[in-house]
Amino acid sequence: MNALLVGADRLGNIPDVLQQFGIRIAAHVSGRDSAHQRRSAPLPAGIEMVILFTDFIGHNVMQRFREAASREGVSLVCCRRSVCALQQALGKRIAMDSCDRCAACPERSATGRRRH
């Protein structure tokens, strides 16, 4: 899965965590450029997930990338820029995505939604 990372100047051990989840960094945007706050351009081609590091970007940048992910139907993960926060957020997101694909899940109610 290809991901766009938004926020943080340095990634540190983040690429190692992403690799454990089968995620490849297709692009990384620090969010410091003022154009990132105003522009509503589409996401780069081939992006399947947007990861926002919320403690390193402003509200306008966050809103712009949230809207772009929503518009293009791409998964969105928001967390702080720490290995633990990223692992927890990805664990929840991947478990949720996997569960949403399983129609025969015993955890689903009669309406088709997860009960947990």
Side-chain angles (χ1 to χ4, degrees), residues 22-33:
I23 299 171
R24 187 180 79 75
I25 301 172
H28 173 227
V29 176
S30 70
R32 290 185 185 267
D33 188 354

Side-chain angles (χ1 to χ4, degrees), residues 4 25 27 31-32 38-39 42-43 48 53 56 58 62 66 72 90 93-94 106 112 114:
L4 168 65
I25 301 172
R32 290 185 185 267
R38 291 179 254 122
R39 188 172 39 143
L43 297 174
E48 300 168 86
F53 294 117
F56 281 87
M62 193 179 317
R66 277 181 184 263
E72 297 187 27
L90 287 174
R93 170 60 60 190
I94 289 173
R114 290 188 328 239

Side-chain angles (χ1 to χ4, degrees), residues 2 7 11 17 26 32 34 45 57 60 67 79 81 83 89-90 102 108:
N2 293 324
L11 296 177
V17 173
R32 290 185 185 267
S34 62
I57 57 176
N60 291 336
E67 289 172 355
C79 64
R81 192 199 71 86
V83 170
L90 287 174
C102 178
R108 289 187 178 272

Side-chain angles (χ1 to χ4, degrees), residues 2-91:
N2 293 324
L4 168 65
L5 276 58
V6 181
D9 293 326
R10 289 174 278 129
L11 296 177
N13 294 331
I14 300 289
D16 298 333
V17 173
L18 294 174
Q19 187 176 18
Q20 292 172 1
F21 283 91
I23 299 171
R24 187 180 79 75
I25 301 172
H28 173 227
V29 176
S30 70
R32 290 185 185 267
D33 188 354
S34 62
H36 296 146
Q37 297 177 16
R38 291 179 254 122
R39 188 172 39 143
S40 62
L43 297 174
I47 297 297
E48 300 168 86
M49 177 182 283
V50 174
I51 300 173
L52 297 177
F53 294 117
T54 58
D55 50 349
F56 281 87
I57 57 176
H59 291 283
N60 291 336
V61 175
M62 193 179 317
Q63 180 180 7
R64 179 226 184 259
F65 282 99
R66 277 181 184 263
E67 289 172 355
S70 175
R71 187 174 51 246
E72 297 187 27
V74 173
S75 295
L76 178 70
V77 174
C78 300
C79 64
R80 294 184 334 265
R81 192 199 71 86
S82 74
V83 170
C84 295
L86 181 61
Q87 286 174 330
Q88 185 177 20
L90 287 174

